[in-house]
Amino acid sequence: MVIDNNFPATLQKAVKHFSDELVCINIVASMRWSNGIAVCPNCKKTETSFLSTRKIWKCKACKKQFSVKVGTIFEASPIGLDKWLLAIWLLSSAKNGISSYEIHRAIGVTQKTAWFMMHRIRLAMAKGSIEKLSGEVEADETFIGGKAKNMHKHKREAIIKGRGSVGKTAVFGALERKGRVLAKVIESTDRKTLHAEVKEKVETGSSLFTDEWRSYRGLDADYIHEVINHSIEYVRGNIHTNGIENFWSLLKRTIRGTYVSVEPFHLGRYLDEQIYRFDERKSNDKERFIGVLKAVSGKRLTYDELRGYQTSG
Ligand SMILES: [Zn+2]
């Protein structure tokens, strides 16, 4: 058993544990293949032999050779699994995110490589399917980036109250109280868009809490819709959107404090990162690490898909 009581629970122990490449290979194998038994990516057969000097498998049926990295976020990466696993540990446990510069210094790869690795890790953090939220659900939108933070306070507030978007990217979010959060980049905060988002993410019949923004009007037929008017008050009994607003403030702290600026093209992946840590907030570092590692398979992101959009964070 690769994941047992001896599995590292701290960063210090993780560094030591992951220093053995064979240990790393066994960890990844146990996460991506059932019982850790290698499956040939070419013919899907499990009769293989492990070539211990090169640390790869050879399929007895089709004779193809493959490493544990094939078909995962690690595919075609020359970076060793020791560094990959540490990067996953650091990103999944850092409450306010961790910049590619920090990863570059901590594990000894270039900043550019660290940046690319982190986008692949965010891909593993992304939830594959959307299971709808239910019960008491708060919905809201926010704006990320742009130049509003440099504006005079009153002007900024006017823009934000008016749901304006001077160079900003709109994000919709829904949070199940005491539960999960879902968020994604949206094109507009108009009624059509927000109604579609709510219906896609929130189970019909749930209690829905929003602020007074007019785009939320007309959802009463499908939801028990309660509105808190922020120009008057922020809480009335259980009517508030404090949960999703707390998520927004965590997200903004991460983006402003750690990533500094995020291109709209990449924002979705930073959202995935923040959502992952938020949903796993009651887990410990080891559990958050294992959760990401279990999702490395079947996901690919090539450098070409990101090139041209590279930013510093
Ligand atoms: Zn094969």
Side-chain angles (χ1 to χ4, degrees):
M1 189 62 185
V2 179
I3 308 296
D4 55 15
N5 289 335
N6 296 322
F7 198 82
T10 64
L11 174 61
Q12 184 264 331
K13 291 219 169 76
V15 171
K16 214 170 149 187
H17 199 71
F18 302 154
S19 65
D20 183 336
E21 194 191 354
L22 206 52
V23 167
C24 296
I25 289 172
N26 284 331
I27 291 171
V28 176
S30 73
M31 296 288 173
R32 59 172 306 198
W33 292 314
S34 68
N35 300 320
I37 296 165
V39 179
C40 171
N42 184 47
C43 71
K44 314 294 174 206
K45 297 238 165 60
T46 52
E47 283 75 42
T48 60
S49 50
F50 187 67
L51 312 176
S52 53
T53 47
R54 295 174 57 209
K55 299 187 180 71
I56 55 170
W57 284 266
K58 185 174 180 184
C59 177
K60 287 183 177 167
C62 74
K63 314 289 177 203
K64 285 258 161 60
Q65 297 179 353
F66 59 95
S67 78
V68 79
K69 289 176 171 176
V70 174
T72 71
I73 60 164
F74 312 123
E75 182 161 340
S77 167
I79 304 299
L81 283 176
D82 54 343
K83 295 188 178 193
W84 268 110
L85 297 195
L86 280 182
I88 292 176
W89 188 284
L90 291 167
L91 190 62
S92 57
S93 62
K95 208 175 167 196
N96 295 323
I98 181 163
S99 79
S100 53
Y101 291 93
E102 288 171 80
I103 294 281
H104 141 68
R105 290 194 303 269
I107 70 171
V109 296
T110 67
Q111 180 268 330
K112 193 174 165 181
T113 295
W115 182 89
F116 184 43
M117 289 169 79
M118 290 167 80
H119 272 307
R120 287 191 178 191
I121 296 168
R122 291 183 185 105
L123 191 67
M125 288 174 157
K127 309 275 185 249
S129 65
I130 298 177
E131 197 187 322
K132 286 189 181 188
L133 306 175
S134 61
E136 295 191 341
V137 180
E138 302 174 17
D140 194 21
E141 354 72 55
T142 194
F143 295 91
I144 304 290
K147 295 188 171 65
K149 68 182 169 188
N150 303 323
M151 284 176 193
H152 188 267
K153 184 168 177 287
H154 293 296
K155 196 174 175 192
R156 183 176 70 208
E157 282 181 355
I159 282 171
I160 289 165
K161 276 207 183 95
R163 318 292 215 207
S165 55
V166 181
K168 288 166 134 341
T169 307
V171 176
F172 171 82
L175 173 141
E176 183 178 302
R177 287 185 183 163
K178 299 195 174 95
R180 296 174 300 134
V181 69
L182 296 171
K184 74 177 252 204
V185 172
I186 50 174
E187 291 295 317
S188 153
T189 59
D190 65 11
R191 180 179 168 125
K192 190 170 161 261
T193 307
L194 293 185
H195 278 219
E197 289 301 324
V198 168
K199 283 171 185 172
E200 186 189 274
K201 294 178 172 56
V202 188
E203 204 75 67
T204 307
S206 303
S207 294
L208 178 71
F209 302 91
T210 70
D211 65 15
E212 71 283 9
W213 177 234
R214 55 183 149 79
S215 293
Y216 292 113
R217 286 178 204 159
L219 286 162
D220 305 65
D222 294 312
Y223 302 96
I224 305 159
H225 187 192
E226 303 275 12
V227 176
I228 189 78
N229 189 336
H230 281 163
S231 65
I232 301 166
E233 58 193 350
Y234 278 84
V235 182
R236 193 171 72 253
N238 75 335
I239 305 171
H240 61 80
T241 54
N242 292 351
I244 187 70
E245 277 161 31
N246 174 50
F247 178 76
W248 295 146
S249 64
L250 291 170
L251 173 69
K252 288 176 183 184
R253 194 183 308 157
T254 297
I255 290 177
R256 283 185 199 143
T258 305
Y259 300 119
V260 187
S261 74
V262 167
E263 288 288 315
F265 175 79
H266 297 303
L267 184 56
R269 271 186 295 277
Y270 289 90
L271 281 175
D272 291 333
E273 175 196 326
Q274 197 72 28
I275 290 168
Y276 180 79
R277 281 193 303 259
F278 187 86
D279 284 354
E280 300 299 323
R281 62 198 180 279
K282 291 188 183 115
S283 306
N284 58 39
D285 289 353
K286 170 177 153 180
E287 291 161 341
R288 271 187 289 269
F289 168 79
I290 291 171
V292 176
L293 214 50
K294 279 183 174 165
V296 296
S297 212
K299 293 174 177 173
R300 284 202 67 192
L301 184 64
T302 64
Y303 192 73
D304 282 345
E305 291 170 64
L306 294 175
R307 198 158 52 192
Y309 295 100
Q310 188 170 8
T311 49
S312 58

